[in-house]
Amino acid sequence: MRPLLFAANWKMNIGPKEARAYLKTFRSLYQPHAEREAWFFPPAVSLEVVAEGTADRSDFLAGAQDIYWEPKGAFTGATSAPLAVQAGARATLIGHSERRHVFGETDEDTQRKVAAAFSNGLTPMLCVGEKLEQRDAGKTIDVVQRQLTGALGGLDREALARVIIAYEPVWAIGTGRNATPQDAAAVHREIRDWLTRQGAARTRVLYGGSVNLKNVAELLAQRELDGVLVGGASLDPTAWAQLVQTPAN
Ligand code: PGA
């Protein structure tokens, strides 16, 4: 069995009350599996509930969906890394495509956020991925490498080994349209090559974008994938428990 990470990105869904009920259902349906982890990225208001509701399990983890790089101060609406840690986060998404394309986040922003995550002991999960027009123009690899270099270029190999990368083609997120397992694996190999050139060949690389109960098995059949980052299909605890238990070798 190879180790697999299943990460749930709840986006702007599931408040604290709903999160309590969600975890109760999920925990009643999901039995621990060797080498398998389930991570949860709830909205900031539900972080503490999810952290507390998963604290007893070493195969579960709660993380923030985003952090701001300044540690504190007059930044209305933002969550700093220290605040996320205080709520129980142990990881954070960085540079999710919705942060990049809805909120205008730049590669420079992602670099600052990665640094803030590390200075506060949070595992950064960096999301990268190309838009449809970039894929059609044959620019997928250029875009992904630019995002990797922009966010992670300055890290030493020990730090890079602790980062997690999530490759999520923008055109596949929330659209029901997903990359073929072979397309996903091809980009994963490029990311792996980039990591290897930086001396961090074993950094985990997940796939995301309309992953669901129907397609997860064939995606996980690609050995290049170390797991999946899932939005829509993680919102129902019954389906998510089933998805995390999908057989793979
Ligand atoms: P999706 O979202 O599974 O709903 O496509 C994935 C993500 O944005 O992380």
Side-chain angles (χ1 to χ4, degrees), residues 28-29 88 91 96 107 172 185 215 229:
S28 72
L29 298 172
H96 186 276
D107 288 331
N215 59 27
L229 175 58

Side-chain angles (χ1 to χ4, degrees), residues 19-43:
R20 252 181 228 109
Y22 179 111
L23 288 177
K24 204 169 162 203
T25 306
F26 176 77
R27 293 187 58 137
S28 72
L29 298 172
Y30 179 72
Q31 304 306 319
H33 281 51
E35 306 284 351
R36 215 165 255 218
E37 290 171 80
W39 290 18
F40 297 89
F41 293 95

Side-chain angles (χ1 to χ4, degrees), residues 9 11 96 98 168 172-174 209-211 229-233:
N9 175 10
K11 308 192 180 185
H96 186 276
E98 286 142 25
E168 301 198 301
I173 294 178
S210 297
V211 176
L229 175 58
V230 183

Side-chain angles (χ1 to χ4, degrees), residues 108-229:
E108 196 184 14
D109 295 342
T110 62
Q111 183 181 34
R112 290 172 162 172
K113 291 180 177 192
V114 169
F118 273 127
S119 3
N120 290 278
L122 291 171
T123 297
M125 184 180 287
L126 178 75
C127 304
V128 298
E130 81 287 3
K131 293 196 201 172
L132 188 56
E133 62 266 28
Q134 294 167 326
R135 168 161 287 250
D136 290 344
K139 297 220 166 82
T140 298
I141 305 307
D142 290 351
V143 170
V144 167
Q145 284 189 356
R146 192 206 72 222
Q147 292 170 335
L148 290 172
T149 308
L152 309 174
L155 296 182
D156 62 31
R157 40 176 85 181
E158 284 76 31
L160 204 49
R162 296 207 304 274
V163 172
I164 297 172
I165 315 268
Y167 168 58
E168 301 198 301
V170 178
W171 47 273
I173 294 178
T175 57
R177 201 183 144 183
N178 63 321
T180 65
Q182 293 73 21
D183 284 347
V187 180
H188 274 239
R189 279 194 293 278
E190 298 285 346
I191 294 173
R192 181 70 57 207
D193 286 350
W194 186 88
L195 289 165
T196 306
R197 288 199 294 279
Q198 319 296 315
R202 297 173 67 102
T203 296
R204 289 190 273 185
V205 186
L206 313 185
Y207 175 77
S210 297
V211 176
N212 57 37
L213 266 174
K214 287 204 185 97
N215 59 27
V216 66
E218 55 172 1
L219 284 162
L220 292 176
Q222 305 294 317
R223 310 283 301 182
E224 287 86 349
L225 276 61
D226 299 309
V228 284
L229 175 58

